[in-house]
Amino acid sequence: MILGDYHTHTVFSHGKNKIEDNVASAVKVGLKEVAITDHGLRHVAFGMRPCDIFKMRKIIDKTQEETPEVKILFGVEANIYTSDGDIDLKPCQMENFDVIIAGFHKIVWPRSPKDMVNFFWRAQWSENFGYSKNTVQKFTDAYVKAIKSGNIDVITHLNYGMKTDVKQVAQAAKDYGVFIELNGKRVSMTDEEILTVQDIGAKFIVNSDAHSCGRVGEISVPTAVIERLDLNRDNIVNWDKLPEFKRRKK
Ligand SMILES: [Zn+2]
Ligand SMILES: [Zn+2]
């Protein structure tokens, strides 16, 4: 079982419940750690606002005082939103978070018309009509650059909405100590790709991606995959143990 859930949403993006509710659920299901990771700032309609960063930190600090039995991490699910692998946070904003998880989401304000066409439209078109080798490499490069930036701790739901060459992404993740998520709502990698991640030696993290407090710690979807493929539990950083995030060491 997992000891920490590092991907949960609240009303600060499109989760149904408050930070305090997610934390109470984490205690109830016996987690030692929980991260609050609402959507990054450029997520259309659901993204956090810059001022939320300070509001949320205050609530988390207060809730932490009242709930010593679980460690609460303040995180964000940033958007990888350009071909250069940029995420939608300024360096000064990144400093506020204990953990930064990042992935591709369709409904995000692009940085430029060029990114809109080359990144978002290309992803949507490829999802509908198939991926060319060139497109997969472009998306892979974006993910690898995001990992190499040193700004992120976790890649969320890899290959959801944007196909990459998992082998290259996993190699970068291993080299830079970034964890690859097995997501509680959906695992978008094929069995072969999951086994490739394991063979390369990149580490997995298993998270719920809860959008309501009742789903905090709920990982039956990835657990079924782990059991079916008999993945090495030692390779899963929050399985019967707590992960060490790069950012927390600072
Ligand atoms: Zn997501
Ligand atoms: Zn999410």
Side-chain angles (χ1 to χ4, degrees):
M1 63 172 275
I2 57 169
L3 296 187
D5 185 352
Y6 304 94
H7 187 169
T8 76
H9 295 272
T10 73
V11 287
F12 282 98
S13 55
H14 58 151
K16 288 197 179 75
N17 300 99
K18 294 192 293 184
I19 290 173
E20 298 90 322
D21 300 325
N22 281 21
V23 171
S25 284
V27 173
K28 209 166 135 191
V29 298
L31 295 178
K32 302 254 180 288
E33 296 190 336
V34 64
I36 305 298
T37 55
D38 280 303
H39 283 292
L41 282 72
R42 293 184 81 101
H43 200 288
V44 175
F46 300 129
M48 289 164 56
R49 295 165 305 167
C51 62
D52 290 336
I53 294 175
F54 305 101
K55 271 191 209 164
M56 293 174 79
R57 173 56 84 182
K58 260 184 139 171
I59 296 170
I60 286 173
D61 286 349
K62 187 167 175 281
T63 311
Q64 183 67 84
E65 263 180 40
E66 293 161 357
T67 326
E69 55 271 51
V70 63
K71 163 108 179 141
I72 312 165
L73 304 182
F74 182 26
V76 56
E77 185 179 16
N79 296 295
I80 297 174
Y81 79 121
T82 74
S83 309
D84 292 322
D86 295 295
I87 58 170
D88 56 344
L89 290 170
K90 295 183 186 133
C92 62
Q93 290 169 329
M94 292 183 201
E95 294 308 313
N96 295 288
F97 297 101
D98 303 316
V99 58
I100 296 180
I101 68 177
F104 172 73
H105 300 91
K106 286 173 198 168
I107 309 172
V108 168
W109 295 112
R111 183 177 57 180
S112 65
K114 200 175 142 213
D115 285 318
M116 187 161 76
V117 174
N118 282 347
F119 202 64
F120 293 98
W121 287 4
R122 188 189 274 256
Q124 192 57 53
W125 195 89
S126 305
E127 282 285 299
N128 293 337
F129 303 110
Y131 283 82
S132 71
K133 219 174 157 186
N134 181 34
T135 293
V136 171
Q137 191 56 51
K138 267 187 194 302
F139 293 157
T140 303
D141 290 344
Y143 268 77
V144 168
K145 280 181 186 166
I147 290 168
K148 289 187 175 177
S149 72
N151 293 326
I152 62 177
D153 300 289
V154 173
I155 291 284
T156 60
H157 44 66
L158 182 59
N159 277 9
Y160 177 63
M162 173 167 280
K163 198 167 157 41
T164 62
D165 177 348
V166 168
K167 196 173 172 187
Q168 293 178 50
V169 175
Q171 188 61 55
K174 183 188 179 229
D175 294 345
Y176 286 79
V178 169
F179 308 139
I180 307 248
E181 183 186 67
L182 294 173
N183 186 280
K185 288 191 341 198
R186 59 184 91 82
V187 176
S188 304
M189 287 178 280
T190 63
D191 289 355
E192 200 187 344
E193 287 168 335
I194 293 167
L195 291 170
T196 298
V197 174
Q198 174 168 275
D199 290 347
I200 283 174
K203 306 268 191 206
F204 291 111
I205 189 165
V206 182
N207 294 319
S208 68
D209 199 0
H211 284 68
S212 61
C213 64
R215 282 201 67 253
V216 171
E218 213 294 291
I219 53 154
S220 54
V221 171
T223 299
V225 175
I226 291 163
E227 284 174 0
R228 183 164 48 77
L229 298 177
D230 194 21
L231 295 181
N232 180 358
R233 275 59 163 184
D234 294 343
N235 214 39
I236 304 170
V237 293
N238 57 338
W239 198 271
D240 293 331
K241 53 193 169 297
L242 295 172
E244 266 206 52
F245 295 109
K246 290 184 300 188
R247 302 183 62 77
R248 234 198 296 180
K249 283 190 202 154
K250 280 186 200 162

